[in-house]
Amino acid sequence: MRPLQTASNLCRAGYVGLVITTLAEALRRGPVVLDGGLATQLESQGQNLNSELWSAQLLYDDPDAIVAAHLAYFHAGAQVATTASYQASIGGFARAGIGRSEAEHLIRRSVRLAEEARARCADGHVRWIAGSVGPYGAALADGSEYRGDYDLSVADLRIWHRPRIELLAEEGVDVLALETIPSLAEVEALLAEIDGSGQACWLSITCAGDRNRAGEPAIQAFGLARDVAEVIAVGINCTDPADADSLVRQASEATGKPVVVYPNSGERWDASTRAWIGPALFRPEDVEGWISDGARLVGGCCRVGPTEIKAIRDLVR
């Protein structure tokens, strides 16, 4: 699935010198800092993200804004840029009047924009590009990624996810971010697509307490990834930070793999009003405990911005 890493590809990816470090290798050495919420930063730049495509709308309307958002996180100390493809899908673009060929181009563009931002940081540091693979529910734009209650089989979900996975991999991302996954069925579908492909990925589910959004035990979801070699980290995102400690330990115990953890701010998304409500509870200092419990990819999700990522980077240093 993934293109061979030729010398030209490695140069384009921004690797410096003779030592090539994959993200998996880096995680064996110590923690790596992720970015924060891409939409959070885009909104702080004045962008209106009220369309059903959310941040993916800017792949068409204002790609330079996406580059600027990636740069804001890189300058804050993030070592990974997550592409603006979370809510990008062939079907979602079709509902917005964008044909399949253009939709494929826009998904590929999400990788190139992250690469452009990385290329502007020519300071000798290795940085990675994560291709965001959001859940099916995100494309529905009705908040169902926080419920996992869509009525599709594992086979249906595999078919739906396949085009974006293939496009991101063909474009040469360093890793796929299978993120905000709310149900066991969708975890199973994504892992079936990845298993045997050779494409590195991380799996992060979204939880409430010790269960995923569909009400199933989180530890069961983590366990599904244990024997999939392509999965380099397992954990959570878009989850209340108050639940992170226990879930990090569960992910580590269930898989023996490095843990990825990037909670949201603790505020809650109200799909009916398309607004965040409730208090912000994210504290960068909590990262130290997550790392002690096995976390190696650490960052933030919705409503966590460059200020918090810089604080995490300072702690990791």
Side-chain angles (χ1 to χ4, degrees):
M1 182 183 292
R2 183 187 171 105
L4 292 174
Q5 288 285 37
T6 64
S8 61
N9 283 342
L10 292 171
C11 179
R12 181 183 69 168
Y15 292 104
V16 179
L18 299 177
V19 178
I20 306 304
T21 303
T22 66
L23 183 55
E25 291 168 346
L27 297 182
R28 287 192 284 271
R29 300 177 186 178
V32 171
V33 179
L34 298 171
D35 51 10
L38 184 62
T40 299
Q41 176 57 24
L42 288 167
E43 287 177 332
S44 77
Q45 293 170 197
Q47 297 293 331
N48 183 338
L49 303 181
N50 284 332
S51 85
E52 289 192 359
L53 290 172
W54 204 33
S55 55
Q57 181 70 46
L58 297 183
L59 292 170
Y60 186 86
D61 289 345
D62 194 352
D64 287 344
I66 295 174
V67 175
H70 288 317
L71 281 170
Y73 282 118
F74 278 149
H75 293 159
Q79 296 165 274
V80 179
T82 307
T83 61
S85 52
Y86 174 84
Q87 207 145 336
S89 68
I90 303 299
F93 281 127
R95 287 194 298 274
I98 297 172
R100 186 180 184 96
S101 177
E102 180 67 9
E104 291 177 350
H105 171 72
L106 292 174
I107 291 170
R108 291 182 185 276
R109 176 181 284 175
S110 72
V111 181
R112 294 169 186 161
L113 297 176
E115 288 178 338
E116 180 180 340
R118 176 169 61 181
R120 293 189 191 181
C121 301
D123 55 7
H125 294 291
V126 178
R127 295 177 175 88
W128 297 271
I129 306 300
S132 177
V133 178
Y136 171 76
L140 301 180
D142 63 357
S144 59
E145 69 265 45
Y146 300 116
R147 302 188 305 268
D149 58 357
Y150 28 90
D151 187 21
L152 291 179
S153 68
V154 170
D156 290 336
L157 287 166
R158 289 187 66 176
I159 292 168
W160 187 87
H161 277 292
R162 190 172 298 149
R164 178 173 49 180
I165 288 174
E166 290 179 344
L167 289 165
L168 294 171
E170 288 169 5
E171 202 59 30
V173 294
D174 299 298
V175 63
L176 290 174
L178 314 179
E179 55 181 355
T180 326
I181 308 304
S183 68
L184 289 175
E186 196 157 19
V187 169
E188 184 179 343
L190 285 163
L191 293 178
E193 286 298 297
I194 291 296
D195 195 7
S197 69
Q199 172 62 61
C201 72
W202 77 64
L203 170 70
S204 60
I205 65 174
T206 176
C207 296
D210 63 356
R211 293 181 174 268
N212 65 19
R213 300 292 181 166
E216 302 152 330
I219 197 166
Q220 190 174 346
F222 299 143
L224 291 175
R226 180 180 55 211
D227 298 322
V228 180
E230 287 83 356
V231 179
I232 65 171
V234 176
I236 59 164
N237 76 292
C238 220
T239 295
D240 192 311
D243 294 330
D245 289 334
S246 173
L247 291 165
V248 166
R249 290 192 293 270
Q250 288 185 48
S252 180
E253 292 166 3
T255 66
K257 294 177 183 281
V259 176
V260 54
V261 52
Y262 49 119
N264 58 34
S265 67
E267 297 162 89
R268 183 170 59 84
W269 174 250
D270 185 331
S272 63
T273 61
R274 299 189 64 81
W276 291 94
I277 59 177
L281 305 172
F282 187 93
R283 301 190 312 161
E285 56 266 32
D286 290 340
V287 168
E288 293 175 308
W290 304 339
I291 291 171
S292 296
D293 289 332
R296 290 297 176 268
L297 276 169
V298 293
C301 197
C302 299
R303 309 286 283 178
V304 176
T307 299
E308 291 81 9
I309 295 304
K310 182 180 185 302
I312 292 173
R313 183 60 176 160
D314 291 343
L315 285 167
V316 168
R317 279 198 179 110

